[in-house]
Amino acid sequence: MTLAVCADVGSTYTKVAVVDLAAGVLAGAASAPTTVGTDVLHGLDAAVAAATAGLGVRDVPWYVCSSAGGGLRLAVIGYEPLVTAQAGRRVGLSAGAHVVHVAAGRLGAADLTALRAARPDVVLLVGGTDGGDADTITHNATRLARARWRRPVVYAGNADVREELTGLLRDAGVPVTDADNVLPRIGVLAPASARAAIRAVFLRHVIGGKRLSRGARFARLVRAATPDAVLTGVEVLADTLGGDLAVVDVGGATTDVYSVLTPDERATGPGREVAGSLWRARTVEGDLGMRWSAPGVVRAAVEERLLAAGEADDLAAAAARRAADPAFLAVDDVERAVDRRIATLAATVALRRHARGAATGERAGRDLRDVRMLVGSGGVLRHSPADVSGQVLTAVLADHAGGWALPRAAAAVVDADYVLAAGGLLAEEHRAAAQSLLRQHLRTH
């Protein structure tokens, strides 16, 4: 067999999939606790050893993504809030970042203080269409230079002043990477170049800067932020299916939603978004999760009128226990039922927000009516029996009171073998294997 090791080093667990590249199927899989407290390589090597045991192979290539240490924290600085700043935010999310701060307009002293307080790993500096306004982005670049900003900056604004402003930043000692304008024209969102630049900066500066490992080996192994790899896997799956697709990933701290839609007349018609439409999108709900953010799930469900008062009180107490002990394990049927209830609410609220556009910043929301497959991911779904995890997704697809257009004929599938990240990691060098892996391990039953 021609094998490859695909690993996701998460904040809590490190998951490994060994892929037979010729057949496009899993040859082995394992997980181990992520050893952030010592060296993440300890947990990674343990998981790989368990996944490859009995296969009798050595020296296989490794493809690794990581969200350990909090993943990639991104700040966006734009020209004005409804256009370039919003476009930058959407691009940042698509690059696998957790957008921790968005500023618009000319930066002042208070804005710089807020930017520093957000502790971003990377700043995405945008503003002005190509040939349009250059004053605001020039002011902001100058302000960063004079403030002796030392964290990496990705310049993805007005191309007419790109060379001048990146030179200004470099001369001031700011580590800057340039990319194509994310909004070259009004209504045209071009994320690819900035997404690639953010990925490169993440690998070059962020992974090593988090001190997750003592040596340089881990930094050499990592190829992407985990959400970036997953979105790539979602894109490959959508291309393979030839239709619209949505994924909801329920984690301990956040619930991520990914969707890939087919461009239609809205991309160029009179109702188009001035900040552009991102047909392949990701949103992060930082208040919805199974452990750290479990109380946020209850609060959001009450606001969405998904919980009656009596159930809300009982569930709030259970959520508080989980937040106080993120390593909490549901060891009996009662606690497992509570976990499934929290997961159902988190997935329902997250998909409502994604579809309405509140999480993406789109005025018209995201039209999910033609979604052919809804994929569920996250430990709570992977570790539940198929019929039980399917009930969570069925409840999401039956959410008629959420104010969004439901998929008309979507199949519900669980990423039980955790292949979306693996497919994304393999896509560039082994696309056929990635397509086969996703097609064979994400089938409806």
Side-chain angles (χ1 to χ4, degrees), residues 337-365:
V338 171
D339 267 3
R340 290 193 293 272
R341 182 60 171 148
I342 293 174
T344 301
L345 294 171
T348 300
V349 173
L351 209 50
R352 280 185 178 189
R353 292 175 179 175
H354 185 89
R356 290 175 187 157
T360 58
E362 293 164 292
R363 292 173 301 168

Short mmCIF file of all heavy atoms in Angstrom, two decimals, residues 337-365:
data_model
loop_
_atom_site.label_atom_id
_atom_site.label_comp_id
_atom_site.label_asym_id
_atom_site.label_seq_id
_atom_site.Cartn_x
_atom_site.Cartn_y
_atom_site.Cartn_z
N ALA A 337 -27.59 11.71 27.04
CA ALA A 337 -28.78 12.36 26.48
C ALA A 337 -28.68 13.88 26.60
O ALA A 337 -29.09 14.62 25.69
CB ALA A 337 -30.04 11.86 27.20
N VAL A 338 -28.11 14.36 27.71
CA VAL A 338 -27.89 15.80 27.88
C VAL A 338 -26.92 16.31 26.82
O VAL A 338 -27.13 17.36 26.20
CB VAL A 338 -27.38 16.12 29.30
CG1 VAL A 338 -26.95 17.59 29.40
CG2 VAL A 338 -28.45 15.82 30.33
N ASP A 339 -25.84 15.57 26.60
CA ASP A 339 -24.87 15.97 25.57
C ASP A 339 -25.54 16.07 24.20
O ASP A 339 -25.30 17.02 23.44
CB ASP A 339 -23.72 14.96 25.51
CG ASP A 339 -22.54 15.36 26.37
OD1 ASP A 339 -22.63 16.39 27.07
OD2 ASP A 339 -21.52 14.64 26.36
N ARG A 340 -26.37 15.11 23.88
CA ARG A 340 -27.04 15.14 22.57
C ARG A 340 -28.01 16.32 22.47
O ARG A 340 -28.13 16.92 21.40
CB ARG A 340 -27.78 13.82 22.33
CG ARG A 340 -26.85 12.65 22.08
CD ARG A 340 -27.61 11.46 21.53
NE ARG A 340 -28.54 10.90 22.50
CZ ARG A 340 -28.22 9.97 23.39
NH1 ARG A 340 -26.99 9.50 23.44
NH2 ARG A 340 -29.13 9.48 24.21
N ARG A 341 -28.64 16.66 23.58
CA ARG A 341 -29.55 17.81 23.57
C ARG A 341 -28.77 19.10 23.35
O ARG A 341 -29.18 19.95 22.56
CB ARG A 341 -30.33 17.87 24.89
CG ARG A 341 -31.34 19.00 24.98
CD ARG A 341 -32.39 18.91 23.91
NE ARG A 341 -33.47 19.85 24.11
CZ ARG A 341 -34.16 20.41 23.11
NH1 ARG A 341 -33.89 20.12 21.84
NH2 ARG A 341 -35.15 21.25 23.38
N ILE A 342 -27.65 19.24 24.04
CA ILE A 342 -26.82 20.44 23.85
C ILE A 342 -26.30 20.49 22.42
O ILE A 342 -26.30 21.55 21.78
CB ILE A 342 -25.65 20.43 24.86
CG1 ILE A 342 -26.17 20.60 26.29
CG2 ILE A 342 -24.65 21.55 24.53
CD1 ILE A 342 -25.09 20.46 27.36
N ALA A 343 -25.89 19.34 21.88
CA ALA A 343 -25.39 19.29 20.50
C ALA A 343 -26.48 19.68 19.51
O ALA A 343 -26.22 20.43 18.55
CB ALA A 343 -24.87 17.90 20.18
N THR A 344 -27.69 19.19 19.71
CA THR A 344 -28.80 19.53 18.82
C THR A 344 -29.08 21.03 18.83
O THR A 344 -29.26 21.65 17.78
CB THR A 344 -30.07 18.77 19.23
OG1 THR A 344 -29.81 17.36 19.18
CG2 THR A 344 -31.22 19.10 18.31
N LEU A 345 -29.08 21.62 20.01
CA LEU A 345 -29.34 23.06 20.13
C LEU A 345 -28.20 23.87 19.51
O LEU A 345 -28.44 24.86 18.81
CB LEU A 345 -29.53 23.44 21.60
CG LEU A 345 -30.78 22.85 22.27
CD1 LEU A 345 -30.73 23.10 23.77
CD2 LEU A 345 -32.05 23.45 21.67
N ALA A 346 -26.95 23.46 19.77
CA ALA A 346 -25.81 24.18 19.21
C ALA A 346 -25.85 24.15 17.69
O ALA A 346 -25.64 25.17 17.02
CB ALA A 346 -24.50 23.58 19.73
N ALA A 347 -26.10 22.97 17.12
CA ALA A 347 -26.14 22.84 15.66
C ALA A 347 -27.29 23.62 15.07
O ALA A 347 -27.15 24.28 14.02
CB ALA A 347 -26.24 21.36 15.29
N THR A 348 -28.44 23.59 15.72
CA THR A 348 -29.62 24.30 15.21
C THR A 348 -29.40 25.80 15.21
O THR A 348 -29.65 26.48 14.21
CB THR A 348 -30.86 23.95 16.06
OG1 THR A 348 -31.08 22.54 16.00
CG2 THR A 348 -32.09 24.67 15.55
N VAL A 349 -28.91 26.35 16.33
CA VAL A 349 -28.68 27.80 16.41
C VAL A 349 -27.59 28.22 15.43
O VAL A 349 -27.72 29.24 14.74
CB VAL A 349 -28.32 28.21 17.85
CG1 VAL A 349 -27.92 29.68 17.90
CG2 VAL A 349 -29.48 27.94 18.80
N ALA A 350 -26.52 27.44 15.34
CA ALA A 350 -25.41 27.81 14.45
C ALA A 350 -25.86 27.84 13.00
O ALA A 350 -25.49 28.75 12.24
CB ALA A 350 -24.26 26.82 14.63
N LEU A 351 -26.65 26.85 12.59
CA LEU A 351 -27.10 26.82 11.20
C LEU A 351 -28.12 27.93 10.94
O LEU A 351 -28.15 28.51 9.84
CB LEU A 351 -27.70 25.46 10.86
CG LEU A 351 -27.58 25.00 9.41
CD1 LEU A 351 -26.15 25.14 8.90
CD2 LEU A 351 -28.04 23.57 9.26
N ARG A 352 -28.95 28.25 11.93
CA ARG A 352 -29.86 29.39 11.78
C ARG A 352 -29.06 30.67 11.50
O ARG A 352 -29.38 31.43 10.58
CB ARG A 352 -30.68 29.58 13.05
CG ARG A 352 -31.87 28.67 13.22
CD ARG A 352 -32.66 29.05 14.46
NE ARG A 352 -33.86 28.22 14.64
CZ ARG A 352 -34.81 28.45 15.53
NH1 ARG A 352 -34.71 29.48 16.35
NH2 ARG A 352 -35.86 27.65 15.61
N ARG A 353 -28.06 30.92 12.31
CA ARG A 353 -27.27 32.15 12.17
C ARG A 353 -26.56 32.18 10.82
O ARG A 353 -26.51 33.22 10.15
CB ARG A 353 -26.25 32.24 13.30
CG ARG A 353 -26.85 32.47 14.68
CD ARG A 353 -25.75 32.44 15.73
NE ARG A 353 -26.25 32.68 17.08
CZ ARG A 353 -25.49 32.60 18.17
NH1 ARG A 353 -24.20 32.27 18.06
NH2 ARG A 353 -26.00 32.85 19.37
N HIS A 354 -25.99 31.05 10.43
CA HIS A 354 -25.27 30.97 9.16
C HIS A 354 -26.20 31.26 7.99
O HIS A 354 -25.88 32.02 7.08
CB HIS A 354 -24.67 29.57 9.02
CG HIS A 354 -23.80 29.37 7.82
ND1 HIS A 354 -22.45 29.64 7.83
CD2 HIS A 354 -24.08 28.92 6.58
CE1 HIS A 354 -21.94 29.35 6.65
NE2 HIS A 354 -22.91 28.92 5.86
N ALA A 355 -27.38 30.64 8.01
CA ALA A 355 -28.32 30.79 6.90
C ALA A 355 -28.94 32.18 6.86
O ALA A 355 -29.17 32.74 5.78
CB ALA A 355 -29.42 29.73 7.00
N ARG A 356 -29.23 32.75 8.02
CA ARG A 356 -29.82 34.09 8.03
C ARG A 356 -28.85 35.16 7.55
O ARG A 356 -29.26 36.24 7.11
CB ARG A 356 -30.24 34.45 9.45
CG ARG A 356 -31.43 33.69 10.01
CD ARG A 356 -31.60 34.10 11.45
NE ARG A 356 -32.62 33.31 12.14
CZ ARG A 356 -32.64 33.16 13.46
NH1 ARG A 356 -31.71 33.74 14.20
NH2 ARG A 356 -33.57 32.44 14.03
N GLY A 357 -27.54 34.87 7.65
CA GLY A 357 -26.55 35.87 7.26
C GLY A 357 -26.02 36.67 8.42
O GLY A 357 -25.10 37.47 8.25
N ALA A 358 -26.55 36.45 9.63
CA ALA A 358 -26.07 37.20 10.79
C ALA A 358 -24.60 36.89 11.05
O ALA A 358 -23.81 37.76 11.44
CB ALA A 358 -26.90 36.87 12.02
N ALA A 359 -24.21 35.63 10.82
CA ALA A 359 -22.83 35.25 11.10
C ALA A 359 -21.90 35.56 9.94
O ALA A 359 -20.70 35.71 10.12
CB ALA A 359 -22.77 33.74 11.41
N THR A 360 -22.44 35.67 8.73
CA THR A 360 -21.60 35.94 7.56
C THR A 360 -21.62 37.41 7.16
O THR A 360 -20.80 37.84 6.36
CB THR A 360 -22.08 35.12 6.35
OG1 THR A 360 -23.44 35.45 6.08
CG2 THR A 360 -21.97 33.63 6.63
N GLY A 361 -22.55 38.18 7.71
CA GLY A 361 -22.64 39.59 7.34
C GLY A 361 -23.33 39.83 6.02
O GLY A 361 -23.25 40.92 5.46
N GLU A 362 -24.05 38.84 5.51
CA GLU A 362 -24.74 38.98 4.23
C GLU A 362 -26.17 39.45 4.46
O GLU A 362 -26.90 38.87 5.26
CB GLU A 362 -24.72 37.65 3.48
CG GLU A 362 -23.32 37.23 3.05
CD GLU A 362 -23.26 35.77 2.67
OE1 GLU A 362 -23.41 34.92 3.57
OE2 GLU A 362 -23.06 35.47 1.48
N ARG A 363 -26.56 40.47 3.74
CA ARG A 363 -27.89 41.04 3.95
C ARG A 363 -28.99 40.03 3.66
O ARG A 363 -29.98 39.94 4.37
CB ARG A 363 -28.08 42.26 3.04
CG ARG A 363 -27.21 43.46 3.40
CD ARG A 363 -27.36 44.53 2.33
NE ARG A 363 -26.96 44.02 1.02
CZ ARG A 363 -27.20 44.63 -0.13
NH1 ARG A 363 -27.86 45.78 -0.13
NH2 ARG A 363 -26.80 44.12 -1.27
N ALA A 364 -28.83 39.25 2.60
CA ALA A 364 -29.86 38.31 2.19
C ALA A 364 -29.66 36.92 2.80
O ALA A 364 -30.46 36.02 2.56
CB ALA A 364 -29.88 38.20 0.66
N GLY A 365 -28.62 36.76 3.60
CA GLY A 365 -28.34 35.45 4.17
C GLY A 365 -27.79 34.50 3.13
O GLY A 365 -27.42 34.89 2.02
#
